[in-house]
Amino acid sequence: MASQKPTISVAVVGVGLVGSEFTSQLLALPTSPFRLVSLSSSKKTLFSADGLEFPASSASESTWKSALAVSETPFSLDALRASMTALAQPGGAVLVDNTSSETVAASYPSFLRAGIHVITPNKKAASGDLTLYKDILSACADGGTKYLGESTVGAGLPILSTLGDLVGTGDKVEKIEGVFSGTMSYIFNNFSTGQPGGPSFSSVVNVAREKGYTEPHPADDLNGADVARKLTILSRLIPSLRHLLPHGFVSVQTASLIPPALESISTGDEFVKRLPEFDAEFDRLRESADKEGCVLRFVGVVDATSGVVKAELAKYPKTHPFATSLGGSDNIVMFHTARYGARPLIVQGAGAGAGVTAMGVMSDLLKLV
């Protein structure tokens, strides 16, 4: 019997680190119910309703990137939506947005209402204004479609699906706390080890930047906004908290680690050059924690009982999992619930990187089968 023809048409927008890795993973599937019909960068698009085909090795990144580079078709969200709408029935169609674009995120409701599923690691839609988030939910109902964003929190870690299962099965979520930023995890795992003294804060940030763990401008990590976005996404999966943050991540109580004197520094190079001026202040924070038998960790907390959502630098005992279990740029999340009252449910592992993030996107795609 001939193998069944792939029935779910996939359009990939964004071919950077995560997008490239996801596309390679998709093309490398040995047997697949998916048909890759479109690849788009911010400027160009490839599209074929019958599925894109590449010479030689179709899983070769250089092959499809070369084809996209010579495409003469400009990228248009409206045109892509129209093309994908025609493929939405009977087999199904899905937009995979691997960008961090506000514009693409704002277009999700129109795709969902057109019968096109949306899968994304892009945090902008689910962590922005509540109006957009509610529109996404209603669009899913209108279009009979799914919006899936497992990799918006914790890359490939099953954090959102775990929370969804807890809520869906009727468990009462009391508190979620964790180290949600791979960048912040690396910085404080190395700065505050539980041993007396240690490297300067600025030197750790500089090494993290050199290793590619921070954004080019480290202030984009140290301001805590990334953690605030993830907390917003988590809180909106708890029905009683859905309306708590009307303006999204900007409504989260967020403690920035950027020294006030450096907030206006526009370049990453100048920022890391000036950061040593404030090492003494971070040393004092570390010494204070050490005297209490604690380490410093930048954590996010969703307290469903009090209705407080916050991102802050906090002290944890040296025996706490946040002190003993973390390494490198790991994420760790603790779910305190009625069922897991005595011992919280813990999800831990690599929380950053193109490979694991793309895996999270792929896991969402497989949920459509």
Side-chain angles (χ1 to χ4, degrees):
M1 182 181 294
S3 60
Q4 185 176 0
K5 185 177 180 180
T7 58
I8 301 177
S9 299
V10 180
V12 176
V13 177
V15 290
L17 290 175
V18 174
S20 294
E21 175 64 26
F22 169 78
T23 301
S24 295
Q25 289 182 17
L26 178 62
L27 292 173
L29 290 175
T31 58
S32 175
F34 308 111
R35 179 172 56 238
L36 179 62
V37 298
S38 182
L39 282 168
S40 300
S41 66
S42 60
K43 297 180 179 179
K44 297 183 176 183
T45 291
L46 289 173
F47 181 85
S48 172
D50 295 325
L52 297 173
E53 295 184 2
F54 306 105
S57 172
S58 63
S60 168
E61 181 176 316
S62 60
T63 302
W64 62 259
K65 281 200 168 183
S66 296
L68 181 59
V70 298
S71 172
E72 296 182 357
T73 305
F75 173 61
S76 164
L77 274 172
D78 290 339
L80 180 61
R81 183 174 58 251
S83 298
M84 293 300 290
T85 299
L87 300 175
Q89 296 297 333
V94 55
L95 171 73
V96 179
D97 171 26
N98 293 305
T99 75
S100 60
S101 167
E102 295 268 11
T103 301
V104 179
S107 74
Y108 294 169
S110 64
F111 277 87
L112 292 164
R113 285 194 171 89
I116 303 162
H117 306 293
V118 173
I119 293 172
T120 185
N122 185 346
K123 293 183 281 290
K124 299 295 174 62
S127 66
D129 195 272
L130 182 59
T131 302
L132 174 58
Y133 185 73
K134 291 171 67 175
D135 196 19
I136 288 172
L137 296 182
S138 63
C140 289
D142 293 343
T145 45
K146 293 182 179 180
Y147 166 75
L148 301 170
E150 181 70 76
S151 50
T152 57
V153 180
L157 296 177
I159 294 174
L160 296 191
S161 55
T162 297
L163 177 56
D165 288 343
L166 292 171
V167 172
T169 58
D171 199 355
K172 180 182 179 182
V173 179
E174 297 165 351
K175 184 170 71 170
I176 304 169
E177 62 179 328
V179 175
F180 292 96
S181 165
T183 301
M184 293 292 206
S185 181
Y186 177 86
I187 289 173
F188 285 99
N189 290 342
N190 287 275
F191 176 69
S192 182
T193 63
Q195 302 298 318
S200 67
F201 184 75
S202 64
S203 68
V204 174
V205 172
N206 196 44
V207 170
R209 186 176 186 238
E210 291 174 350
K211 290 179 176 289
Y213 290 151
T214 75
E215 296 293 334
H217 197 321
D220 293 336
D221 296 293
L222 297 179
N223 63 12
D226 178 66
V227 176
R229 284 189 180 278
K230 294 171 181 177
L231 296 176
T232 302
I233 294 168
L234 287 166
S235 70
R236 287 176 172 172
L237 291 181
I238 302 173
S240 64
L241 302 183
R242 182 161 295 162
H243 302 287
L244 188 63
L245 305 169
H247 303 297
F249 77 101
V250 297
S251 300
V252 174
Q253 298 177 26
T254 306
S256 172
L257 298 186
I258 303 172
L262 302 187
E263 288 180 348
S264 62
I265 300 296
S266 60
T267 68
D269 289 340
E270 179 66 16
F271 183 87
V272 296
K273 182 180 178 181
R274 293 278 311 277
L275 193 57
E277 298 172 20
F278 305 90
D279 279 338
E281 295 180 20
F282 287 100
D283 285 346
R284 283 192 289 271
L285 291 172
R286 178 171 58 190
E287 291 168 6
S288 174
D290 188 61
K291 288 178 180 178
E292 298 177 29
C294 295
V295 297
L296 296 171
R297 295 292 182 262
F298 194 89
V299 298
V301 177
V302 176
D303 192 326
T305 302
S306 65
V308 172
V309 182
K310 60 183 178 179
E312 63 180 358
L313 186 63
K315 300 173 184 176
Y316 283 86
K318 295 177 183 179
T319 56
H320 193 278
F322 291 2
T324 62
S325 298
L326 288 174
S329 58
D330 281 359
N331 283 184
I332 184 169
V333 182
M334 302 175 71
F335 294 93
H336 302 265
T337 75
R339 292 176 186 155
Y340 290 89
R343 295 171 61 83
L345 172 61
I346 297 177
V347 177
Q348 177 188 348
V356 291
T357 302
M359 183 195 76
V361 178
M362 182 65 72
S363 72
D364 276 343
L365 186 63
L366 291 171
K367 292 169 187 173
L368 300 179
V369 178

